CSV table of all heavy atoms in Angstrom, one decimal:
chain,number,residue,atom,x,y,z
A,1,ASN,N,0.8,-1.2,0.0
A,1,ASN,CA,0.0,0.0,0.0
A,1,ASN,C,0.9,1.3,0.0
A,1,ASN,O,0.5,2.3,-0.6
A,1,ASN,CB,-0.9,0.0,1.2
A,1,ASN,CG,-2.0,-1.1,1.1
A,1,ASN,OD1,-2.4,-1.4,0.0
A,1,ASN,ND2,-2.4,-1.6,2.3
A,2,SER,N,2.0,1.2,0.7
A,2,SER,CA,2.9,2.4,0.7
A,2,SER,C,3.5,2.7,-0.6
A,2,SER,O,3.6,3.8,-1.1
A,2,SER,CB,4.0,2.2,1.8
A,2,SER,OG,3.5,2.1,3.1
A,3,THR,N,3.8,1.6,-1.4
A,3,THR,CA,4.4,1.8,-2.7
A,3,THR,C,3.3,2.4,-3.6
A,3,THR,O,3.6,3.3,-4.4
A,3,THR,CB,4.9,0.5,-3.3
A,3,THR,OG1,5.9,0.0,-2.4
A,3,THR,CG2,5.4,0.6,-4.7
A,4,LYS,N,2.1,1.9,-3.5
A,4,LYS,CA,1.0,2.4,-4.4
A,4,LYS,C,0.8,3.9,-4.2
A,4,LYS,O,0.7,4.7,-5.1
A,4,LYS,CB,-0.3,1.7,-4.1
A,4,LYS,CG,-0.5,0.4,-4.9
A,4,LYS,CD,-1.9,-0.1,-4.8
A,4,LYS,CE,-2.1,-1.3,-5.7
A,4,LYS,NZ,-3.5,-1.8,-5.7
A,5,LYS,N,0.8,4.3,-2.9
A,5,LYS,CA,0.5,5.7,-2.6
A,5,LYS,C,1.7,6.5,-3.1
A,5,LYS,O,1.5,7.7,-3.5
A,5,LYS,CB,0.3,5.9,-1.1
A,5,LYS,CG,-1.0,5.3,-0.6
A,5,LYS,CD,-1.1,5.4,0.9
A,5,LYS,CE,-2.5,4.9,1.4
A,5,LYS,NZ,-2.6,5.0,2.9
A,6,ALA,N,2.9,6.0,-2.9
A,6,ALA,CA,4.1,6.8,-3.4
A,6,ALA,C,4.1,7.0,-4.9
A,6,ALA,O,4.4,8.1,-5.3
A,6,ALA,CB,5.4,6.0,-3.0
A,7,LEU,N,3.7,6.0,-5.6
A,7,LEU,CA,3.7,6.1,-7.1
A,7,LEU,C,2.6,7.0,-7.6
A,7,LEU,O,2.7,7.6,-8.7
A,7,LEU,CB,3.6,4.8,-7.8
A,7,LEU,CG,4.9,3.9,-7.6
A,7,LEU,CD1,4.6,2.5,-8.2
A,7,LEU,CD2,6.1,4.5,-8.3
A,8,LEU,N,1.6,7.3,-6.8
A,8,LEU,CA,0.5,8.2,-7.2
A,8,LEU,C,0.9,9.7,-6.8
A,8,LEU,O,0.2,10.6,-7.2
A,8,LEU,CB,-0.8,7.8,-6.5
A,8,LEU,CG,-1.4,6.6,-6.9
A,8,LEU,CD1,-2.7,6.2,-6.1
A,8,LEU,CD2,-1.9,6.7,-8.4
A,9,ASN,N,2.0,9.8,-6.1
A,9,ASN,CA,2.5,11.2,-5.7
A,9,ASN,C,3.5,11.7,-6.7
A,9,ASN,O,4.5,11.2,-7.0
A,9,ASN,CB,3.2,11.1,-4.3
A,9,ASN,CG,3.6,12.4,-3.8
A,9,ASN,OD1,4.5,13.0,-4.3
A,9,ASN,ND2,2.9,12.9,-2.8
A,10,LYS,N,3.1,12.9,-7.4
A,10,LYS,CA,3.9,13.4,-8.4
A,10,LYS,C,5.3,13.8,-8.0
A,10,LYS,O,6.3,13.6,-8.7
A,10,LYS,CB,3.2,14.6,-9.1
A,10,LYS,CG,4.0,15.1,-10.3
A,10,LYS,CD,3.2,16.1,-11.1
A,10,LYS,CE,3.2,17.5,-10.5
A,10,LYS,NZ,2.7,18.6,-11.4
A,11,ASP,N,5.4,14.4,-6.8
A,11,ASP,CA,6.7,14.8,-6.3
A,11,ASP,C,7.6,13.5,-6.1
A,11,ASP,O,8.8,13.6,-6.4
A,11,ASP,CB,6.6,15.5,-4.9
A,11,ASP,CG,6.0,16.8,-5.1
A,11,ASP,OD1,6.4,17.6,-5.9
A,11,ASP,OD2,5.0,17.1,-4.3
A,12,PHE,N,7.1,12.4,-5.7
A,12,PHE,CA,7.9,11.2,-5.6
A,12,PHE,C,8.3,10.7,-6.9
A,12,PHE,O,9.5,10.4,-7.1
A,12,PHE,CB,7.0,10.1,-4.9
A,12,PHE,CG,7.7,8.8,-4.7
A,12,PHE,CD1,8.6,8.6,-3.7
A,12,PHE,CD2,7.6,7.7,-5.7
A,12,PHE,CE1,9.3,7.4,-3.5
A,12,PHE,CE2,8.3,6.5,-5.5
A,12,PHE,CZ,9.1,6.4,-4.5
A,13,ARG,N,7.4,10.8,-7.9
A,13,ARG,CA,7.8,10.3,-9.3
A,13,ARG,C,8.9,11.3,-9.8
A,13,ARG,O,9.8,10.8,-10.5
A,13,ARG,CB,6.6,10.3,-10.2
A,13,ARG,CG,5.5,9.3,-9.7
A,13,ARG,CD,4.5,9.1,-10.9
A,13,ARG,NE,3.9,10.3,-11.3
A,13,ARG,CZ,2.8,10.8,-10.9
A,13,ARG,NH1,2.2,10.3,-9.8
A,13,ARG,NH2,2.3,12.0,-11.4
A,14,GLN,N,8.7,12.6,-9.6
A,14,GLN,CA,9.7,13.5,-10.1
A,14,GLN,C,11.1,13.3,-9.4
A,14,GLN,O,12.1,13.4,-10.0
A,14,GLN,CB,9.3,14.9,-9.8
A,14,GLN,CG,8.1,15.4,-10.8
A,14,GLN,CD,7.7,16.8,-10.5
A,14,GLN,OE1,8.0,17.4,-9.5
A,14,GLN,NE2,7.0,17.4,-11.5
A,15,ALA,N,11.1,12.9,-8.1
A,15,ALA,CA,12.3,12.6,-7.4
A,15,ALA,C,13.0,11.4,-8.1
A,15,ALA,O,14.2,11.5,-8.3
A,15,ALA,CB,12.0,12.3,-6.0
A,16,LEU,N,12.3,10.4,-8.5
A,16,LEU,CA,12.9,9.3,-9.2
A,16,LEU,C,13.5,9.8,-10.6
A,16,LEU,O,14.6,9.4,-11.0
A,16,LEU,CB,11.8,8.2,-9.5
A,16,LEU,CG,11.2,7.5,-8.3
A,16,LEU,CD1,10.2,6.5,-8.8
A,16,LEU,CD2,12.3,6.7,-7.5
A,17,ASN,N,12.7,10.6,-11.3
A,17,ASN,CA,13.1,11.1,-12.6
A,17,ASN,C,14.5,11.9,-12.5
A,17,ASN,O,15.4,11.7,-13.3
A,17,ASN,CB,12.0,12.0,-13.1
A,17,ASN,CG,12.0,12.1,-14.6
A,17,ASN,OD1,12.9,11.5,-15.3
A,17,ASN,ND2,11.1,12.8,-15.2
A,18,PHE,N,14.6,12.7,-11.5
A,18,PHE,CA,15.8,13.5,-11.3
A,18,PHE,C,16.9,12.7,-10.7
A,18,PHE,O,18.1,13.1,-10.9
A,18,PHE,CB,15.5,14.8,-10.4
A,18,PHE,CG,14.7,15.8,-11.1
A,18,PHE,CD1,13.5,16.3,-10.5
A,18,PHE,CD2,15.1,16.4,-12.3
A,18,PHE,CE1,12.8,17.3,-11.1
A,18,PHE,CE2,14.3,17.4,-12.9
A,18,PHE,CZ,13.2,17.8,-12.3
A,19,ALA,N,16.6,11.6,-10.0
A,19,ALA,CA,17.6,10.8,-9.4
A,19,ALA,C,18.3,9.8,-10.4
A,19,ALA,O,19.3,9.2,-10.1
A,19,ALA,CB,17.0,10.1,-8.2
A,20,LEU,N,17.6,9.6,-11.5
A,20,LEU,CA,18.1,8.6,-12.5
A,20,LEU,C,19.3,9.2,-13.3
A,20,LEU,O,19.1,10.1,-14.0
A,20,LEU,CB,17.0,8.1,-13.4
A,20,LEU,CG,17.4,7.2,-14.6
A,20,LEU,CD1,18.1,6.0,-14.1
A,20,LEU,CD2,16.1,6.9,-15.4
A,21,ASP,N,20.4,8.6,-13.1
A,21,ASP,CA,21.6,9.0,-13.9
A,21,ASP,C,21.6,8.3,-15.2
A,21,ASP,O,22.0,7.1,-15.4
A,21,ASP,CB,22.9,8.6,-13.1
A,21,ASP,CG,24.2,9.1,-13.8
A,21,ASP,OD1,24.1,9.5,-15.0
A,21,ASP,OD2,25.2,9.1,-13.1
A,22,ARG,N,21.1,8.9,-16.2
A,22,ARG,CA,20.9,8.3,-17.6
A,22,ARG,C,22.2,8.0,-18.3
A,22,ARG,O,22.3,7.1,-19.1
A,22,ARG,CB,20.0,9.2,-18.4
A,22,ARG,CG,18.5,9.1,-18.0
A,22,ARG,CD,17.7,10.2,-18.6
A,22,ARG,NE,16.3,10.0,-18.3
A,22,ARG,CZ,15.7,10.3,-17.1
A,22,ARG,NH1,16.4,10.9,-16.2
A,22,ARG,NH2,14.4,10.2,-16.9
A,23,GLU,N,23.2,8.8,-17.9
A,23,GLU,CA,24.5,8.6,-18.6
A,23,GLU,C,25.1,7.3,-18.1
A,23,GLU,O,25.7,6.5,-18.8
A,23,GLU,CB,25.5,9.7,-18.3
A,23,GLU,CG,26.8,9.6,-19.0
A,23,GLU,CD,27.6,10.9,-19.0
A,23,GLU,OE1,27.2,11.9,-18.3
A,23,GLU,OE2,28.6,11.0,-19.7
A,24,SER,N,25.0,7.0,-16.8
A,24,SER,CA,25.5,5.8,-16.2
A,24,SER,C,24.6,4.6,-16.8
A,24,SER,O,25.2,3.5,-17.1
A,24,SER,CB,25.4,5.8,-14.7
A,24,SER,OG,25.7,4.5,-14.1
A,25,TYR,N,23.3,4.8,-16.9
A,25,TYR,CA,22.4,3.8,-17.4
A,25,TYR,C,22.8,3.4,-18.8
A,25,TYR,O,23.0,2.2,-19.1
A,25,TYR,CB,21.0,4.4,-17.4
A,25,TYR,CG,19.9,3.4,-17.7
A,25,TYR,CD1,19.2,2.7,-16.7
A,25,TYR,CD2,19.5,3.2,-19.0
A,25,TYR,CE1,18.2,1.9,-16.9
A,25,TYR,CE2,18.4,2.4,-19.3
A,25,TYR,CZ,17.8,1.7,-18.3
A,25,TYR,OH,16.8,0.8,-18.6
A,26,ALA,N,23.0,4.4,-19.7
A,26,ALA,CA,23.4,4.1,-21.1
A,26,ALA,C,24.8,3.6,-21.2
A,26,ALA,O,25.1,2.8,-22.1
A,26,ALA,CB,23.3,5.4,-21.9
A,27,ALA,N,25.6,3.9,-20.3
A,27,ALA,CA,27.0,3.4,-20.3
A,27,ALA,C,27.1,1.9,-20.1
A,27,ALA,O,28.0,1.2,-20.6
A,27,ALA,CB,27.9,4.1,-19.2
A,28,GLN,N,26.0,1.3,-19.5
A,28,GLN,CA,26.0,-0.2,-19.4
A,28,GLN,C,25.9,-0.9,-20.7
A,28,GLN,O,26.2,-2.1,-20.8
A,28,GLN,CB,24.9,-0.6,-18.4
A,28,GLN,CG,24.8,0.2,-17.1
A,28,GLN,CD,26.2,0.2,-16.4
A,28,GLN,OE1,26.8,-0.8,-16.3
A,28,GLN,NE2,26.6,1.4,-16.0
A,29,VAL,N,25.5,-0.1,-21.7
A,29,VAL,CA,25.3,-0.7,-23.1
A,29,VAL,C,26.4,-0.2,-24.0
A,29,VAL,O,27.1,-0.9,-24.7
A,29,VAL,CB,24.0,-0.4,-23.7
A,29,VAL,CG1,23.9,-1.0,-25.1
A,29,VAL,CG2,22.8,-0.9,-22.8
A,30,ASN,N,26.7,1.2,-23.9
A,30,ASN,CA,27.5,1.8,-24.9
A,30,ASN,C,28.9,2.2,-24.3
A,30,ASN,O,29.7,2.7,-25.1
A,30,ASN,CB,26.9,3.1,-25.3
A,30,ASN,CG,25.7,2.9,-26.3
A,30,ASN,OD1,25.4,1.7,-26.5
A,30,ASN,ND2,25.1,3.9,-26.8
A,31,GLY,N,29.2,1.9,-23.0
A,31,GLY,CA,30.4,2.3,-22.5
A,31,GLY,C,30.4,3.8,-22.1
A,31,GLY,O,29.6,4.5,-22.6
A,32,LYS,N,31.4,4.2,-21.4
A,32,LYS,CA,31.4,5.6,-20.9
A,32,LYS,C,31.6,6.6,-22.1
A,32,LYS,O,30.9,7.6,-22.1
A,32,LYS,CB,32.6,5.8,-19.9
A,32,LYS,CG,32.3,5.2,-18.6
A,32,LYS,CD,33.5,5.5,-17.6
A,32,LYS,CE,33.2,4.8,-16.2
A,32,LYS,NZ,34.3,5.1,-15.3
A,33,ALA,N,32.4,6.2,-23.1
A,33,ALA,CA,32.7,7.1,-24.2
A,33,ALA,C,31.4,7.3,-25.1
A,33,ALA,O,31.2,8.4,-25.6
A,33,ALA,CB,33.8,6.6,-25.0
A,34,GLY,N,30.6,6.3,-25.2
A,34,GLY,CA,29.5,6.4,-26.1
A,34,GLY,C,28.1,6.6,-25.4
A,34,GLY,O,27.1,6.6,-26.1
A,35,ALA,N,28.2,6.7,-24.1
A,35,ALA,CA,26.9,6.8,-23.3
A,35,ALA,C,26.0,8.0,-23.7
A,35,ALA,O,24.8,7.9,-24.0
A,35,ALA,CB,27.2,6.8,-21.8
A,36,ALA,N,26.6,9.2,-23.8
A,36,ALA,CA,25.9,10.4,-24.0
A,36,ALA,C,25.1,10.3,-25.4
A,36,ALA,O,24.0,10.8,-25.5
A,36,ALA,CB,26.8,11.6,-24.0
A,37,THR,N,25.7,9.7,-26.4
A,37,THR,CA,25.0,9.6,-27.7
A,37,THR,C,23.6,9.0,-27.6
A,37,THR,O,22.7,9.4,-28.3
A,37,THR,CB,25.9,8.7,-28.6
A,37,THR,OG1,27.2,9.2,-28.6
A,37,THR,CG2,25.3,8.7,-30.0
A,38,ALA,N,23.4,8.1,-26.6
A,38,ALA,CA,22.2,7.3,-26.6
A,38,ALA,C,21.1,8.0,-25.7
A,38,ALA,O,20.0,7.6,-25.7
A,38,ALA,CB,22.5,5.9,-26.1
A,39,ILE,N,21.5,8.9,-24.8
A,39,ILE,CA,20.6,9.5,-23.8
A,39,ILE,C,19.3,10.1,-24.4
A,39,ILE,O,19.4,10.9,-25.4
A,39,ILE,CB,21.3,10.5,-22.9
A,39,ILE,CG1,22.4,9.8,-22.1
A,39,ILE,CG2,20.3,11.2,-22.0
A,39,ILE,CD1,23.2,10.8,-21.3
A,40,ARG,N,18.2,9.8,-23.9
A,40,ARG,CA,16.9,10.4,-24.3
A,40,ARG,C,16.2,11.0,-23.1
A,40,ARG,O,16.0,10.2,-22.1
A,40,ARG,CB,16.1,9.4,-25.0
A,40,ARG,CG,14.8,10.0,-25.6
A,40,ARG,CD,14.5,9.4,-27.0
A,40,ARG,NE,15.5,9.7,-27.9
A,40,ARG,CZ,15.7,9.1,-29.1
A,40,ARG,NH1,15.0,8.0,-29.3
A,40,ARG,NH2,16.6,9.5,-29.9
């Protein structure tokens, strides 16, 4: 129930959005040098 309530809260979702390091995420596929190319 706590998770459901959290995901319905926009500030919580925005916190996840800003906390996600997309460059690190993309680097798992493209490596550090090519990570930025893939970010969306």
Side-chain angles (χ1 to χ4, degrees):
N1 292 330
S2 291
T3 299
K4 275 193 172 185
K5 290 178 180 178
L7 289 175
L8 290 175
N9 182 288
K10 185 170 77 169
D11 290 312
F12 179 81
R13 299 193 305 270
Q14 287 181 341
L16 294 178
N17 206 357
F18 288 127
L20 172 57
D21 185 347
R22 287 165 174 80
E23 187 165 8
S24 173
Y25 188 94
Q28 308 312 310
V29 182
N30 287 2
K32 291 183 179 179
T37 308
I39 294 174
R40 186 142 292 160

